[in-house]
Amino acid sequence: MTTEVVGMTALPVGASRPRRAPLGRLLRSELRWVFRRPRTLVGIGLLGLAPIVIGVATLFVTSGVTGDPEQGPPITALGGSALTLPVISLSMLLLFLLPLVASIAAADAIAGESASGTLRGLLVAPVGRLRLLAVKMVGVMAVITAAVLVITVVAVVTGLILHGTSGLVTLSGTTLSLGESLGRVTVTVGWVLLQLWAVAAIALAVSACTEHPLVVLSTVIGGLIVIGILGSLPVLDWLQPFLLSDNWTAGADVLRDPVYTGDMGTSALRALCYLVIGYSLAVARMATKDS
């Protein structure tokens, strides 16, 4: 009897092909699974506490021992602005904790499934490897987006509670309206998300090559540390334009008036390139993965 191969299964010619699972149902199932993981919820919750700690600490440092804001360090001159806190929080957490969350989510998506033995069942199911990878990527991006939005919302609320609706005091000394301040915070959120999605794409490519989630974490976080070291060496200045984390402090440029978009635009374009490369590598690996 003549057979043809469908996915991983040989079917007789003329036999009905397995019905493909609807994409919407796959996405809903993945999102429910992702956000039911206790470590995901605990991690996002702990990140939500970070803006509160930063805001309260900034308030005390700004006030100083004498209660005079002018006695605080120069950087805390922005501490009395309500909507500066989201920008400060996202910029600080982008340096380590948020990439860690992105790496954990990507490690769970493929390597975690492979380690638990559930990935093999998914590969032989009538889903399609590329659709499966796309669903996994959406799940990872959803976790990252949720974490960034929680940080932003908590930071905005904390800033309004601590400082009122005073708008945004820029590094140039001007004061923006509440609407303009929220617009700049939105720009920062979008820029941070793009950087983290790029990290997640690279982590997903590594995750598709191993069955051990810790390998993904050590590879990605270790790689970011190495990139940071390489970027600090003057002799390697020629390499800096190719390093993902270069200009990760550019998010603070929204606190200038007018906004300086040079570094943010360059880092956004670089992150987009890493996103495409990482996802392409993950697709190439998933196309040949058999376990």
Side-chain angles (χ1 to χ4, degrees), residues 51 54 91 267:
I54 295 173
S91 298
S267 60

Side-chain angles (χ1 to χ4, degrees), residues 33-101:
W33 171 250
V34 165
F35 287 104
R36 283 180 179 176
R37 290 174 180 156
R39 59 178 172 273
T40 300
L41 299 178
V42 171
I44 293 177
L46 291 176
L47 285 175
L49 296 177
I52 300 176
V53 175
I54 295 173
V56 173
T58 303
L59 180 66
F60 279 106
V61 173
T62 303
S63 299
V65 178
T66 63
D68 183 3
E70 298 298 330
Q71 299 300 319
I75 193 173
T76 63
L78 298 174
S81 177
L83 294 178
T84 304
L85 185 57
V87 178
I88 295 175
S89 300
L90 290 173
S91 298
M92 293 178 62
L93 296 177
L94 177 61
L95 298 179
F96 181 75
L97 291 182
L98 283 174
L100 180 62
V101 170

